[in-house]
Amino acid sequence: LRKRLEAAWSRLSAACRPRHDPEAVHQLRVATRRSLAALAAFRDLVPGKQRAWFEKWLRRIRRAAGDTRDLDVLTDRLQREPGADECQTHSAKAARARQRLVAMLGKRRDVAREPIREVRERLVAADWPDRVERLLEAVAASTTEISFADYGRQRMRPLLERFFSRAKQTSRTAADIHRLRIEGKKLRYAIEIFAVVFPPAQRAACSAALEELQNNLGEFTDHAAASDRLRRLAKEKDMGPDRAALVALRKAEDTRATEARRAFTKWWKPSR
């Protein structure tokens, strides 16, 4: 708990530095998910009121960083050179439109970072580090008669059941794929906490399989999120001459999202 909550605080500070670092924002979101997984893992040892406070603020941090992260991913996509299949149709006009969009998204990203700073200021005022210490003192005062390994087995069982319940669903909507990805992350972070429950070789195989699942799911969710952002941008009144470029880019992301979803459905067999 200490390690993960302190990591979240450190990542929050890093994401607030003057010079924007996309990786810092990405790692901040990862740190909040890992912290939430730790609180869930030990939920019956953490006083409810304190757990609820940290869960509330960790989710706020994650949401505050979400918009910036989406803009980072989209900007990175737009900055890449067109693929070989695009080169023939990638005119100078389209390239200039892409450059204007990158510049516009950069400005929006700077504005989107403000909620991250605001959350940090409020948590400085609330004395996050002291609250972490008080939470850890309360956990230390909790008692349980079972070993850590047995406790881990108890906590892992419902997480495994929840993941496989989600994994066995046949629906493949965007929302379903996103939920499966989230459940996979929760399970992977819990396995890290309760590593002692699994033989090393089995743990490594399970973690690798979950990471592979995340990568396959991520390909779809990234394209779907980029398409949604481009669609909303194209509807804004001041897009003017860039609207056609936005529509073309959105269609390309839609196509890639569809291809990624089909690839995942083909890959995600019952045996896997």
Side-chain angles (χ1 to χ4, degrees), residues 167-228:
K168 289 174 183 176
Q169 291 184 356
T170 56
S171 176
R172 289 291 179 264
T173 66
D176 289 326
I177 290 176
H178 178 67
R179 291 190 194 101
L180 176 59
R181 192 182 187 207
I182 296 302
E183 290 302 328
K185 286 182 179 181
K186 289 180 180 178
L187 184 59
R188 185 155 58 97
Y189 297 155
I191 288 173
E192 291 173 0
I193 294 170
F194 296 122
V196 69
V197 170
F198 305 93
Q202 184 185 52
R203 183 178 71 246
C206 288
S207 296
L210 285 168
E211 190 169 354
E212 187 180 7
L213 172 64
Q214 294 297 312
N215 292 336
N216 277 277
L217 291 170
E219 188 67 20
F220 166 76
T221 54
D222 284 350
H223 288 304
S227 172
D228 181 63

Side-chain angles (χ1 to χ4, degrees), residues 22 77 104 130 138 142 186 190 221:
R77 287 187 180 282
M104 178 196 68
D130 183 63
S142 302
K186 289 180 180 178
T221 54

Side-chain angles (χ1 to χ4, degrees), residues 108-151:
R108 295 194 176 205
R109 185 175 60 188
D110 291 339
V111 173
R113 291 179 65 206
E114 283 304 312
I116 304 176
R117 296 190 183 98
E118 291 171 4
V119 168
R120 185 178 183 279
E121 288 174 4
R122 294 183 66 177
L123 290 175
V124 167
D127 201 350
W128 172 284
D130 183 63
R131 285 178 178 267
V132 170
E133 292 302 325
R134 280 185 275 156
L135 176 120
L136 295 172
E137 288 172 6
V139 172
S142 302
T143 58
T144 179
E145 297 301 318
I146 62 175
S147 69
F148 183 76
D150 287 339
Y151 180 83

Side-chain angles (χ1 to χ4, degrees), residues 4-239:
R4 293 197 174 192
L5 290 171
E6 287 182 351
W9 184 244
S10 174
R11 298 295 187 185
L12 179 59
S13 299
C16 292
R17 289 171 186 157
R19 184 176 176 277
H20 178 62
D21 179 3
E23 184 59 21
V25 176
H26 172 57
Q27 290 301 325
L28 172 60
R29 283 173 59 79
V30 172
T32 60
R33 291 194 185 280
R34 287 179 182 274
S35 295
L36 285 164
L39 289 168
F42 301 111
R43 63 176 296 114
D44 53 345
L45 299 178
V46 181
K49 217 170 170 183
Q50 289 174 295
R51 187 185 73 245
W53 187 89
F54 277 97
E55 288 174 342
K56 177 184 75 175
W57 282 102
L58 286 164
R59 291 189 179 103
R60 285 187 181 181
I61 295 169
R62 192 181 67 213
R63 285 195 298 269
D67 202 33
T68 303
R69 176 59 182 166
D70 288 346
L71 289 167
D72 283 337
V73 173
L74 182 54
T75 301
D76 181 61
R77 287 187 180 282
L78 290 174
Q79 286 176 325
R80 293 176 192 170
E81 290 296 323
D85 58 333
E86 298 178 50
C87 287
Q88 294 180 348
T89 59
H90 191 70
S91 65
K93 183 179 178 181
R96 287 194 296 272
R98 188 179 284 243
Q99 288 172 356
R100 288 195 298 271
L101 288 171
V102 169
M104 178 196 68
L105 291 172
K107 292 178 182 177
R108 295 194 176 205
R109 185 175 60 188
D110 291 339
V111 173
R113 291 179 65 206
E114 283 304 312
I116 304 176
R117 296 190 183 98
E118 291 171 4
V119 168
R120 185 178 183 279
E121 288 174 4
R122 294 183 66 177
L123 290 175
V124 167
D127 201 350
W128 172 284
D130 183 63
R131 285 178 178 267
V132 170
E133 292 302 325
R134 280 185 275 156
L135 176 120
L136 295 172
E137 288 172 6
V139 172
S142 302
T143 58
T144 179
E145 297 301 318
I146 62 175
S147 69
F148 183 76
D150 287 339
Y151 180 83
R153 292 186 188 94
Q154 286 183 9
R155 298 301 300 149
M156 285 300 306
R157 192 174 299 280
L159 288 171
L160 286 163
E161 290 172 354
R162 182 169 172 170
F163 171 78
F164 283 111
S165 175
R166 177 68 63 186
K168 289 174 183 176
Q169 291 184 356
T170 56
S171 176
R172 289 291 179 264
T173 66
D176 289 326
I177 290 176
H178 178 67
R179 291 190 194 101
L180 176 59
R181 192 182 187 207
I182 296 302
E183 290 302 328
K185 286 182 179 181
K186 289 180 180 178
L187 184 59
R188 185 155 58 97
Y189 297 155
I191 288 173
E192 291 173 0
I193 294 170
F194 296 122
V196 69
V197 170
F198 305 93
Q202 184 185 52
R203 183 178 71 246
C206 288
S207 296
L210 285 168
E211 190 169 354
E212 187 180 7
L213 172 64
Q214 294 297 312
N215 292 336
N216 277 277
L217 291 170
E219 188 67 20
F220 166 76
T221 54
D222 284 350
H223 288 304
S227 172
D228 181 63
R229 172 73 66 171
L230 291 164
R231 176 185 58 78
R232 285 183 280 138
L233 283 171
K235 289 183 177 181
E236 294 184 8
K237 294 180 181 179
D238 58 348
M239 284 301 104

